[in-house]
Amino acid sequence: MSLGSGPRELVVLGTAGAVPTRERNHNGYLLRWDGTSVLFDPGEGIQRQMLHAGVSSPRIERICVTHRHNDHCLGVPGVLNRMAQDRPGREVTVHGPEDAFEHLRALAVVAQANVRVTVQGHPALEEDVPVADVAGSALTARALDHRVPALGYRLVEPEHVTFSPDALRAAGITGPDVGRLQREGELRGVRLADVSTRRRGQVFAFVMDTRLCPSVSEVVRDADLAVLECTFTDRDADLALARGHLTARQAGETAARAGVRSLVLTHVSARYDGAELEEEARAAVAAVGGRTTVRVVRDLDVVPVPPRAERSSVAA
């Protein structure tokens, strides 16, 4: 549960790779985060999936698209129309790489929806590019390695400071001096670390179509919940490389080495069973001594962001 209003959780709307199947819809992932929602990569049919999942469109403030391939964005017009039905005239921002700007703008025009749409194209760089503030957390993007320019998204909550009342009392710090100590870091010989605990903010990461590259590790680094594609198994690694995708082994090993707590695998090729991909990823985590939990999700699954890992109450 977040410090804000509402849960922090991922609602999985679609999990297919490239083409839908009888069991898996085109891509679509909705992140609920402190009373707002961010929709990632809405493919075809996502408006109907939202109804099945009980997702409320008025809470969606942003749509983040990783790249311009249609299985990751063709649902944009339908979603915009859903928004216009639920709250006419509202504002929504569509984010994507600069390469996809005209494509995304055309989808917004085709929708002819009664919503105020802003399309923002972000440079695909091998460094964090600021995208937006999401309920006080920083959303950034970084270039991946696909057949067209693609972005991975990372959402980071700021670090929080929690004071110990007993430690403050023993140090004689009261009233406005508490705020002064927090701002300045030290007051009358008392360090902030002596009377407080720093608690890291939660981190969410989203990586779709990409070959294995250093940016994948950077986007998912220390994430509490990371969503990664796993289109192929390792026996088809050559095919994954040629088509610009990850294998389940690559996804599992990368997540484990990057310190991911909970790994969601998706974008499943119709040629595989999800259990096979999950087994391969778990074996990769175990091989490097990682503690990352692994789950290949199905349509309409709901995955909570893991609770924060608490640190010791007061710094030594």
PDB file of all heavy atoms in Angstrom, residues 56-93:
ATOM      1  N   SER A  56     -11.037   1.926 -14.330  1.00  0.00           N
ATOM      2  CA  SER A  56     -11.727   3.196 -14.509  1.00  0.00           C
ATOM      3  C   SER A  56     -10.881   4.134 -15.352  1.00  0.00           C
ATOM      4  O   SER A  56      -9.779   4.516 -14.956  1.00  0.00           O
ATOM      5  CB  SER A  56     -12.008   3.827 -13.140  1.00  0.00           C
ATOM      6  OG  SER A  56     -12.522   5.122 -13.275  1.00  0.00           O
ATOM      7  N   SER A  57     -11.392   4.532 -16.512  1.00  0.00           N
ATOM      8  CA  SER A  57     -10.604   5.399 -17.391  1.00  0.00           C
ATOM      9  C   SER A  57     -10.387   6.802 -16.834  1.00  0.00           C
ATOM     10  O   SER A  57      -9.361   7.422 -17.144  1.00  0.00           O
ATOM     11  CB  SER A  57     -11.252   5.476 -18.775  1.00  0.00           C
ATOM     12  OG  SER A  57     -12.384   6.305 -18.772  1.00  0.00           O
ATOM     13  N   PRO A  58     -11.301   7.379 -16.032  1.00  0.00           N
ATOM     14  CA  PRO A  58     -11.038   8.736 -15.534  1.00  0.00           C
ATOM     15  C   PRO A  58      -9.761   8.879 -14.720  1.00  0.00           C
ATOM     16  O   PRO A  58      -9.228   9.980 -14.594  1.00  0.00           O
ATOM     17  CB  PRO A  58     -12.286   9.043 -14.680  1.00  0.00           C
ATOM     18  CG  PRO A  58     -13.369   8.258 -15.323  1.00  0.00           C
ATOM     19  CD  PRO A  58     -12.685   6.973 -15.734  1.00  0.00           C
ATOM     20  N   ARG A  59      -9.258   7.796 -14.138  1.00  0.00           N
ATOM     21  CA  ARG A  59      -8.028   7.884 -13.355  1.00  0.00           C
ATOM     22  C   ARG A  59      -6.771   7.842 -14.228  1.00  0.00           C
ATOM     23  O   ARG A  59      -5.672   8.087 -13.740  1.00  0.00           O
ATOM     24  CB  ARG A  59      -7.978   6.759 -12.320  1.00  0.00           C
ATOM     25  CG  ARG A  59      -8.956   6.955 -11.167  1.00  0.00           C
ATOM     26  CD  ARG A  59      -8.749   5.890 -10.098  1.00  0.00           C
ATOM     27  NE  ARG A  59      -9.649   6.075  -8.970  1.00  0.00           N
ATOM     28  CZ  ARG A  59      -9.380   6.803  -7.895  1.00  0.00           C
ATOM     29  NH1 ARG A  59      -8.216   7.416  -7.814  1.00  0.00           N
ATOM     30  NH2 ARG A  59     -10.250   6.915  -6.918  1.00  0.00           N
ATOM     31  N   ILE A  60      -6.924   7.509 -15.509  1.00  0.00           N
ATOM     32  CA  ILE A  60      -5.759   7.431 -16.392  1.00  0.00           C
ATOM     33  C   ILE A  60      -5.377   8.842 -16.828  1.00  0.00           C
ATOM     34  O   ILE A  60      -6.126   9.517 -17.526  1.00  0.00           O
ATOM     35  CB  ILE A  60      -6.048   6.558 -17.630  1.00  0.00           C
ATOM     36  CG1 ILE A  60      -6.399   5.133 -17.212  1.00  0.00           C
ATOM     37  CG2 ILE A  60      -4.833   6.547 -18.567  1.00  0.00           C
ATOM     38  CD1 ILE A  60      -6.844   4.243 -18.366  1.00  0.00           C
ATOM     39  N   GLU A  61      -4.207   9.282 -16.408  1.00  0.00           N
ATOM     40  CA  GLU A  61      -3.723  10.617 -16.769  1.00  0.00           C
ATOM     41  C   GLU A  61      -2.678  10.568 -17.870  1.00  0.00           C
ATOM     42  O   GLU A  61      -2.479  11.558 -18.578  1.00  0.00           O
ATOM     43  CB  GLU A  61      -3.137  11.307 -15.540  1.00  0.00           C
ATOM     44  CG  GLU A  61      -4.170  11.568 -14.446  1.00  0.00           C
ATOM     45  CD  GLU A  61      -3.584  12.321 -13.265  1.00  0.00           C
ATOM     46  OE1 GLU A  61      -2.354  12.562 -13.262  1.00  0.00           O
ATOM     47  OE2 GLU A  61      -4.347  12.670 -12.349  1.00  0.00           O
ATOM     48  N   ARG A  62      -2.020   9.413 -18.020  1.00  0.00           N
ATOM     49  CA  ARG A  62      -0.951   9.300 -19.013  1.00  0.00           C
ATOM     50  C   ARG A  62      -0.995   7.942 -19.700  1.00  0.00           C
ATOM     51  O   ARG A  62      -1.329   6.935 -19.084  1.00  0.00           O
ATOM     52  CB  ARG A  62       0.427   9.473 -18.362  1.00  0.00           C
ATOM     53  CG  ARG A  62       0.560  10.781 -17.623  1.00  0.00           C
ATOM     54  CD  ARG A  62       1.941  11.012 -17.037  1.00  0.00           C
ATOM     55  NE  ARG A  62       1.887  12.237 -16.240  1.00  0.00           N
ATOM     56  CZ  ARG A  62       1.970  13.458 -16.761  1.00  0.00           C
ATOM     57  NH1 ARG A  62       2.132  13.600 -18.062  1.00  0.00           N
ATOM     58  NH2 ARG A  62       1.903  14.517 -15.989  1.00  0.00           N
ATOM     59  N   ILE A  63      -0.640   7.951 -20.976  1.00  0.00           N
ATOM     60  CA  ILE A  63      -0.456   6.730 -21.754  1.00  0.00           C
ATOM     61  C   ILE A  63       0.994   6.727 -22.212  1.00  0.00           C
ATOM     62  O   ILE A  63       1.447   7.663 -22.879  1.00  0.00           O
ATOM     63  CB  ILE A  63      -1.397   6.672 -22.967  1.00  0.00           C
ATOM     64  CG1 ILE A  63      -2.862   6.716 -22.515  1.00  0.00           C
ATOM     65  CG2 ILE A  63      -1.128   5.419 -23.795  1.00  0.00           C
ATOM     66  CD1 ILE A  63      -3.858   6.811 -23.661  1.00  0.00           C
ATOM     67  N   CYS A  64       1.746   5.703 -21.826  1.00  0.00           N
ATOM     68  CA  CYS A  64       3.162   5.609 -22.163  1.00  0.00           C
ATOM     69  C   CYS A  64       3.366   4.478 -23.168  1.00  0.00           C
ATOM     70  O   CYS A  64       3.067   3.314 -22.876  1.00  0.00           O
ATOM     71  CB  CYS A  64       4.001   5.349 -20.919  1.00  0.00           C
ATOM     72  SG  CYS A  64       4.037   6.743 -19.768  1.00  0.00           S
ATOM     73  N   VAL A  65       3.875   4.823 -24.326  1.00  0.00           N
ATOM     74  CA  VAL A  65       4.107   3.871 -25.411  1.00  0.00           C
ATOM     75  C   VAL A  65       5.612   3.677 -25.579  1.00  0.00           C
ATOM     76  O   VAL A  65       6.370   4.649 -25.627  1.00  0.00           O
ATOM     77  CB  VAL A  65       3.473   4.385 -26.720  1.00  0.00           C
ATOM     78  CG1 VAL A  65       3.829   3.486 -27.894  1.00  0.00           C
ATOM     79  CG2 VAL A  65       1.958   4.498 -26.561  1.00  0.00           C
ATOM     80  N   THR A  66       6.037   2.434 -25.667  1.00  0.00           N
ATOM     81  CA  THR A  66       7.468   2.160 -25.761  1.00  0.00           C
ATOM     82  C   THR A  66       8.019   2.361 -27.167  1.00  0.00           C
ATOM     83  O   THR A  66       9.161   2.779 -27.339  1.00  0.00           O
ATOM     84  CB  THR A  66       7.787   0.724 -25.308  1.00  0.00           C
ATOM     85  OG1 THR A  66       7.036  -0.202 -26.106  1.00  0.00           O
ATOM     86  CG2 THR A  66       7.444   0.532 -23.836  1.00  0.00           C
ATOM     87  N   HIS A  67       7.196   2.063 -28.208  1.00  0.00           N
ATOM     88  CA  HIS A  67       7.645   2.216 -29.592  1.00  0.00           C
ATOM     89  C   HIS A  67       6.434   2.162 -30.515  1.00  0.00           C
ATOM     90  O   HIS A  67       5.321   1.875 -30.077  1.00  0.00           O
ATOM     91  CB  HIS A  67       8.681   1.154 -29.953  1.00  0.00           C
ATOM     92  CG  HIS A  67       8.191  -0.254 -29.914  1.00  0.00           C
ATOM     93  ND1 HIS A  67       7.860  -0.888 -28.729  1.00  0.00           N
ATOM     94  CD2 HIS A  67       7.956  -1.166 -30.902  1.00  0.00           C
ATOM     95  CE1 HIS A  67       7.467  -2.122 -28.989  1.00  0.00           C
ATOM     96  NE2 HIS A  67       7.496  -2.306 -30.293  1.00  0.00           N
ATOM     97  N   ARG A  68       6.629   2.416 -31.790  1.00  0.00           N
ATOM     98  CA  ARG A  68       5.513   2.623 -32.701  1.00  0.00           C
ATOM     99  C   ARG A  68       4.954   1.360 -33.346  1.00  0.00           C
ATOM    100  O   ARG A  68       4.063   1.461 -34.203  1.00  0.00           O
ATOM    101  CB  ARG A  68       5.898   3.619 -33.790  1.00  0.00           C
ATOM    102  CG  ARG A  68       7.086   3.207 -34.637  1.00  0.00           C
ATOM    103  CD  ARG A  68       7.361   4.271 -35.714  1.00  0.00           C
ATOM    104  NE  ARG A  68       8.674   4.160 -36.302  1.00  0.00           N
ATOM    105  CZ  ARG A  68       8.993   3.337 -37.293  1.00  0.00           C
ATOM    106  NH1 ARG A  68       8.085   2.514 -37.797  1.00  0.00           N
ATOM    107  NH2 ARG A  68      10.229   3.331 -37.778  1.00  0.00           N
ATOM    108  N   HIS A  69       5.416   0.189 -33.008  1.00  0.00           N
ATOM    109  CA  HIS A  69       4.805  -1.018 -33.554  1.00  0.00           C
ATOM    110  C   HIS A  69       3.366  -1.133 -33.051  1.00  0.00           C
ATOM    111  O   HIS A  69       3.083  -0.924 -31.870  1.00  0.00           O
ATOM    112  CB  HIS A  69       5.619  -2.257 -33.190  1.00  0.00           C
ATOM    113  CG  HIS A  69       6.876  -2.373 -33.995  1.00  0.00           C
ATOM    114  ND1 HIS A  69       7.937  -3.159 -33.620  1.00  0.00           N
ATOM    115  CD2 HIS A  69       7.232  -1.805 -35.190  1.00  0.00           C
ATOM    116  CE1 HIS A  69       8.901  -3.080 -34.528  1.00  0.00           C
ATOM    117  NE2 HIS A  69       8.488  -2.266 -35.490  1.00  0.00           N
ATOM    118  N   ASN A  70       2.460  -1.487 -33.948  1.00  0.00           N
ATOM    119  CA  ASN A  70       1.032  -1.344 -33.655  1.00  0.00           C
ATOM    120  C   ASN A  70       0.514  -2.247 -32.550  1.00  0.00           C
ATOM    121  O   ASN A  70      -0.490  -1.920 -31.908  1.00  0.00           O
ATOM    122  CB  ASN A  70       0.214  -1.570 -34.928  1.00  0.00           C
ATOM    123  CG  ASN A  70       0.231  -0.363 -35.841  1.00  0.00           C
ATOM    124  OD1 ASN A  70       0.370   0.761 -35.391  1.00  0.00           O
ATOM    125  ND2 ASN A  70       0.115  -0.598 -37.142  1.00  0.00           N
ATOM    126  N   ASP A  71       1.172  -3.366 -32.301  1.00  0.00           N
ATOM    127  CA  ASP A  71       0.687  -4.222 -31.210  1.00  0.00           C
ATOM    128  C   ASP A  71       0.928  -3.574 -29.850  1.00  0.00           C
ATOM    129  O   ASP A  71       0.464  -4.077 -28.822  1.00  0.00           O
ATOM    130  CB  ASP A  71       1.322  -5.615 -31.265  1.00  0.00           C
ATOM    131  CG  ASP A  71       2.840  -5.607 -31.210  1.00  0.00           C
ATOM    132  OD1 ASP A  71       3.450  -4.729 -31.852  1.00  0.00           O
ATOM    133  OD2 ASP A  71       3.414  -6.485 -30.532  1.00  0.00           O
ATOM    134  N   HIS A  72       1.613  -2.425 -29.837  1.00  0.00           N
ATOM    135  CA  HIS A  72       1.874  -1.703 -28.591  1.00  0.00           C
ATOM    136  C   HIS A  72       1.157  -0.357 -28.512  1.00  0.00           C
ATOM    137  O   HIS A  72       1.290   0.334 -27.500  1.00  0.00           O
ATOM    138  CB  HIS A  72       3.383  -1.492 -28.415  1.00  0.00           C
ATOM    139  CG  HIS A  72       4.135  -2.765 -28.195  1.00  0.00           C
ATOM    140  ND1 HIS A  72       4.541  -3.197 -26.953  1.00  0.00           N
ATOM    141  CD2 HIS A  72       4.532  -3.726 -29.076  1.00  0.00           C
ATOM    142  CE1 HIS A  72       5.162  -4.365 -27.075  1.00  0.00           C
ATOM    143  NE2 HIS A  72       5.171  -4.695 -28.354  1.00  0.00           N
ATOM    144  N   CYS A  73       0.418   0.006 -29.559  1.00  0.00           N
ATOM    145  CA  CYS A  73      -0.220   1.327 -29.513  1.00  0.00           C
ATOM    146  C   CYS A  73      -1.528   1.444 -30.284  1.00  0.00           C
ATOM    147  O   CYS A  73      -2.176   2.499 -30.229  1.00  0.00           O
ATOM    148  CB  CYS A  73       0.745   2.406 -30.005  1.00  0.00           C
ATOM    149  SG  CYS A  73       1.269   2.221 -31.722  1.00  0.00           S
ATOM    150  N   LEU A  74      -1.964   0.400 -30.984  1.00  0.00           N
ATOM    151  CA  LEU A  74      -3.163   0.534 -31.805  1.00  0.00           C
ATOM    152  C   LEU A  74      -4.435   0.675 -30.968  1.00  0.00           C
ATOM    153  O   LEU A  74      -5.486   1.050 -31.488  1.00  0.00           O
ATOM    154  CB  LEU A  74      -3.296  -0.668 -32.741  1.00  0.00           C
ATOM    155  CG  LEU A  74      -4.113  -0.448 -34.019  1.00  0.00           C
ATOM    156  CD1 LEU A  74      -3.568   0.723 -34.812  1.00  0.00           C
ATOM    157  CD2 LEU A  74      -4.138  -1.714 -34.864  1.00  0.00           C
ATOM    158  N   GLY A  75      -4.332   0.429 -29.674  1.00  0.00           N
ATOM    159  CA  GLY A  75      -5.485   0.624 -28.797  1.00  0.00           C
ATOM    160  C   GLY A  75      -5.677   2.058 -28.337  1.00  0.00           C
ATOM    161  O   GLY A  75      -6.677   2.365 -27.681  1.00  0.00           O
ATOM    162  N   VAL A  76      -4.753   2.956 -28.684  1.00  0.00           N
ATOM    163  CA  VAL A  76      -4.849   4.346 -28.224  1.00  0.00           C
ATOM    164  C   VAL A  76      -6.172   4.995 -28.625  1.00  0.00           C
ATOM    165  O   VAL A  76      -6.839   5.621 -27.783  1.00  0.00           O
ATOM    166  CB  VAL A  76      -3.639   5.165 -28.709  1.00  0.00           C
ATOM    167  CG1 VAL A  76      -3.879   6.657 -28.514  1.00  0.00           C
ATOM    168  CG2 VAL A  76      -2.376   4.743 -27.962  1.00  0.00           C
ATOM    169  N   PRO A  77      -6.629   4.909 -29.891  1.00  0.00           N
ATOM    170  CA  PRO A  77      -7.899   5.567 -30.246  1.00  0.00           C
ATOM    171  C   PRO A  77      -9.081   5.076 -29.419  1.00  0.00           C
ATOM    172  O   PRO A  77      -9.904   5.884 -28.955  1.00  0.00           O
ATOM    173  CB  PRO A  77      -8.070   5.224 -31.724  1.00  0.00           C
ATOM    174  CG  PRO A  77      -6.685   4.992 -32.226  1.00  0.00           C
ATOM    175  CD  PRO A  77      -5.980   4.333 -31.083  1.00  0.00           C
ATOM    176  N   GLY A  78      -9.188   3.774 -29.215  1.00  0.00           N
ATOM    177  CA  GLY A  78     -10.294   3.246 -28.424  1.00  0.00           C
ATOM    178  C   GLY A  78     -10.261   3.714 -26.990  1.00  0.00           C
ATOM    179  O   GLY A  78     -11.303   4.045 -26.407  1.00  0.00           O
ATOM    180  N   VAL A  79      -9.067   3.757 -26.402  1.00  0.00           N
ATOM    181  CA  VAL A  79      -8.939   4.215 -25.021  1.00  0.00           C
ATOM    182  C   VAL A  79      -9.330   5.689 -24.909  1.00  0.00           C
ATOM    183  O   VAL A  79     -10.026   6.097 -23.962  1.00  0.00           O
ATOM    184  CB  VAL A  79      -7.506   3.990 -24.505  1.00  0.00           C
ATOM    185  CG1 VAL A  79      -7.311   4.654 -23.149  1.00  0.00           C
ATOM    186  CG2 VAL A  79      -7.205   2.500 -24.405  1.00  0.00           C
ATOM    187  N   LEU A  80      -8.908   6.500 -25.877  1.00  0.00           N
ATOM    188  CA  LEU A  80      -9.269   7.917 -25.854  1.00  0.00           C
ATOM    189  C   LEU A  80     -10.778   8.092 -25.965  1.00  0.00           C
ATOM    190  O   LEU A  80     -11.380   8.954 -25.296  1.00  0.00           O
ATOM    191  CB  LEU A  80      -8.563   8.667 -26.984  1.00  0.00           C
ATOM    192  CG  LEU A  80      -7.036   8.755 -26.877  1.00  0.00           C
ATOM    193  CD1 LEU A  80      -6.468   9.505 -28.079  1.00  0.00           C
ATOM    194  CD2 LEU A  80      -6.603   9.418 -25.578  1.00  0.00           C
ATOM    195  N   ASN A  81     -11.419   7.288 -26.789  1.00  0.00           N
ATOM    196  CA  ASN A  81     -12.878   7.366 -26.890  1.00  0.00           C
ATOM    197  C   ASN A  81     -13.557   6.931 -25.610  1.00  0.00           C
ATOM    198  O   ASN A  81     -14.584   7.488 -25.212  1.00  0.00           O
ATOM    199  CB  ASN A  81     -13.364   6.528 -28.080  1.00  0.00           C
ATOM    200  CG  ASN A  81     -13.330   7.304 -29.384  1.00  0.00           C
ATOM    201  OD1 ASN A  81     -14.172   8.155 -29.637  1.00  0.00           O
ATOM    202  ND2 ASN A  81     -12.337   7.010 -30.210  1.00  0.00           N
ATOM    203  N   ARG A  82     -12.999   5.931 -24.949  1.00  0.00           N
ATOM    204  CA  ARG A  82     -13.540   5.512 -23.656  1.00  0.00           C
ATOM    205  C   ARG A  82     -13.445   6.656 -22.654  1.00  0.00           C
ATOM    206  O   ARG A  82     -14.364   6.916 -21.874  1.00  0.00           O
ATOM    207  CB  ARG A  82     -12.766   4.297 -23.151  1.00  0.00           C
ATOM    208  CG  ARG A  82     -13.238   3.747 -21.818  1.00  0.00           C
ATOM    209  CD  ARG A  82     -14.535   2.992 -21.985  1.00  0.00           C
ATOM    210  NE  ARG A  82     -15.558   3.495 -21.107  1.00  0.00           N
ATOM    211  CZ  ARG A  82     -16.778   2.973 -21.015  1.00  0.00           C
ATOM    212  NH1 ARG A  82     -17.117   1.942 -21.757  1.00  0.00           N
ATOM    213  NH2 ARG A  82     -17.666   3.483 -20.209  1.00  0.00           N
ATOM    214  N   MET A  83     -12.322   7.334 -22.656  1.00  0.00           N
ATOM    215  CA  MET A  83     -12.143   8.478 -21.762  1.00  0.00           C
ATOM    216  C   MET A  83     -13.170   9.570 -22.048  1.00  0.00           C
ATOM    217  O   MET A  83     -13.719  10.179 -21.125  1.00  0.00           O
ATOM    218  CB  MET A  83     -10.725   9.052 -21.925  1.00  0.00           C
ATOM    219  CG  MET A  83      -9.616   8.156 -21.425  1.00  0.00           C
ATOM    220  SD  MET A  83      -7.994   8.902 -21.740  1.00  0.00           S
ATOM    221  CE  MET A  83      -6.931   7.759 -20.868  1.00  0.00           C
ATOM    222  N   ALA A  84     -13.432   9.822 -23.335  1.00  0.00           N
ATOM    223  CA  ALA A  84     -14.394  10.858 -23.702  1.00  0.00           C
ATOM    224  C   ALA A  84     -15.802  10.492 -23.270  1.00  0.00           C
ATOM    225  O   ALA A  84     -16.601  11.370 -22.915  1.00  0.00           O
ATOM    226  CB  ALA A  84     -14.345  11.088 -25.212  1.00  0.00           C
ATOM    227  N   GLN A  85     -16.113   9.210 -23.271  1.00  0.00           N
ATOM    228  CA  GLN A  85     -17.423   8.765 -22.798  1.00  0.00           C
ATOM    229  C   GLN A  85     -17.554   8.959 -21.292  1.00  0.00           C
ATOM    230  O   GLN A  85     -18.609   9.367 -20.785  1.00  0.00           O
ATOM    231  CB  GLN A  85     -17.631   7.280 -23.142  1.00  0.00           C
ATOM    232  CG  GLN A  85     -17.798   6.985 -24.616  1.00  0.00           C
ATOM    233  CD  GLN A  85     -19.152   7.418 -25.144  1.00  0.00           C
ATOM    234  OE1 GLN A  85     -20.150   7.411 -24.428  1.00  0.00           O
ATOM    235  NE2 GLN A  85     -19.188   7.830 -26.407  1.00  0.00           N
ATOM    236  N   ASP A  86     -16.474   8.660 -20.569  1.00  0.00           N
ATOM    237  CA  ASP A  86     -16.523   8.701 -19.107  1.00  0.00           C
ATOM    238  C   ASP A  86     -16.378  10.113 -18.542  1.00  0.00           C
ATOM    239  O   ASP A  86     -16.973  10.443 -17.515  1.00  0.00           O
ATOM    240  CB  ASP A  86     -15.429   7.806 -18.514  1.00  0.00           C
ATOM    241  CG  ASP A  86     -15.680   6.325 -18.790  1.00  0.00           C
ATOM    242  OD1 ASP A  86     -16.838   5.971 -19.061  1.00  0.00           O
ATOM    243  OD2 ASP A  86     -14.711   5.546 -18.752  1.00  0.00           O
ATOM    244  N   ARG A  87     -15.575  10.947 -19.208  1.00  0.00           N
ATOM    245  CA  ARG A  87     -15.379  12.319 -18.727  1.00  0.00           C
ATOM    246  C   ARG A  87     -15.015  13.210 -19.911  1.00  0.00           C
ATOM    247  O   ARG A  87     -13.838  13.443 -20.196  1.00  0.00           O
ATOM    248  CB  ARG A  87     -14.283  12.383 -17.664  1.00  0.00           C
ATOM    249  CG  ARG A  87     -14.212  13.768 -16.973  1.00  0.00           C
ATOM    250  CD  ARG A  87     -12.958  13.916 -16.135  1.00  0.00           C
ATOM    251  NE  ARG A  87     -12.916  12.998 -15.021  1.00  0.00           N
ATOM    252  CZ  ARG A  87     -11.835  12.824 -14.237  1.00  0.00           C
ATOM    253  NH1 ARG A  87     -10.732  13.510 -14.489  1.00  0.00           N
ATOM    254  NH2 ARG A  87     -11.869  11.973 -13.233  1.00  0.00           N
ATOM    255  N   PRO A  88     -16.000  13.722 -20.621  1.00  0.00           N
ATOM    256  CA  PRO A  88     -15.739  14.548 -21.804  1.00  0.00           C
ATOM    257  C   PRO A  88     -14.888  15.772 -21.467  1.00  0.00           C
ATOM    258  O   PRO A  88     -15.022  16.372 -20.408  1.00  0.00           O
ATOM    259  CB  PRO A  88     -17.144  14.973 -22.258  1.00  0.00           C
ATOM    260  CG  PRO A  88     -18.058  13.956 -21.660  1.00  0.00           C
ATOM    261  CD  PRO A  88     -17.435  13.553 -20.365  1.00  0.00           C
ATOM    262  N   GLY A  89     -13.993  16.107 -22.394  1.00  0.00           N
ATOM    263  CA  GLY A  89     -13.195  17.318 -22.253  1.00  0.00           C
ATOM    264  C   GLY A  89     -11.992  17.207 -21.352  1.00  0.00           C
ATOM    265  O   GLY A  89     -11.267  18.189 -21.174  1.00  0.00           O
ATOM    266  N   ARG A  90     -11.741  16.047 -20.800  1.00  0.00           N
ATOM    267  CA  ARG A  90     -10.624  15.898 -19.867  1.00  0.00           C
ATOM    268  C   ARG A  90      -9.286  15.949 -20.600  1.00  0.00           C
ATOM    269  O   ARG A  90      -9.204  15.850 -21.823  1.00  0.00           O
ATOM    270  CB  ARG A  90     -10.744  14.570 -19.122  1.00  0.00           C
ATOM    271  CG  ARG A  90     -10.771  13.358 -20.040  1.00  0.00           C
ATOM    272  CD  ARG A  90     -10.437  12.090 -19.310  1.00  0.00           C
ATOM    273  NE  ARG A  90      -9.107  12.164 -18.738  1.00  0.00           N
ATOM    274  CZ  ARG A  90      -8.539  11.169 -18.082  1.00  0.00           C
ATOM    275  NH1 ARG A  90      -9.185  10.041 -17.881  1.00  0.00           N
ATOM    276  NH2 ARG A  90      -7.335  11.295 -17.592  1.00  0.00           N
ATOM    277  N   GLU A  91      -8.200  16.071 -19.826  1.00  0.00           N
ATOM    278  CA  GLU A  91      -6.858  16.120 -20.385  1.00  0.00           C
ATOM    279  C   GLU A  91      -6.162  14.776 -20.225  1.00  0.00           C
ATOM    280  O   GLU A  91      -6.329  14.097 -19.212  1.00  0.00           O
ATOM    281  CB  GLU A  91      -6.028  17.201 -19.692  1.00  0.00           C
ATOM    282  CG  GLU A  91      -6.531  18.615 -19.892  1.00  0.00           C
ATOM    283  CD  GLU A  91      -5.639  19.642 -19.231  1.00  0.00           C
ATOM    284  OE1 GLU A  91      -4.622  19.232 -18.619  1.00  0.00           O
ATOM    285  OE2 GLU A  91      -5.945  20.837 -19.304  1.00  0.00           O
ATOM    286  N   VAL A  92      -5.377  14.401 -21.218  1.00  0.00           N
ATOM    287  CA  VAL A  92      -4.563  13.189 -21.141  1.00  0.00           C
ATOM    288  C   VAL A  92      -3.304  13.421 -21.972  1.00  0.00           C
ATOM    289  O   VAL A  92      -3.334  14.093 -23.006  1.00  0.00           O
ATOM    290  CB  VAL A  92      -5.333  11.948 -21.647  1.00  0.00           C
ATOM    291  CG1 VAL A  92      -5.732  12.106 -23.109  1.00  0.00           C
ATOM    292  CG2 VAL A  92      -4.504  10.682 -21.451  1.00  0.00           C
ATOM    293  N   THR A  93      -2.177  12.899 -21.479  1.00  0.00           N
ATOM    294  CA  THR A  93      -0.905  13.038 -22.186  1.00  0.00           C
ATOM    295  C   THR A  93      -0.452  11.673 -22.680  1.00  0.00           C
ATOM    296  O   THR A  93      -0.465  10.691 -21.921  1.00  0.00           O
ATOM    297  CB  THR A  93       0.177  13.640 -21.272  1.00  0.00           C
ATOM    298  OG1 THR A  93      -0.286  14.889 -20.757  1.00  0.00           O
ATOM    299  CG2 THR A  93       1.467  13.861 -22.043  1.00  0.00           C
TER     300      THR A  93
END
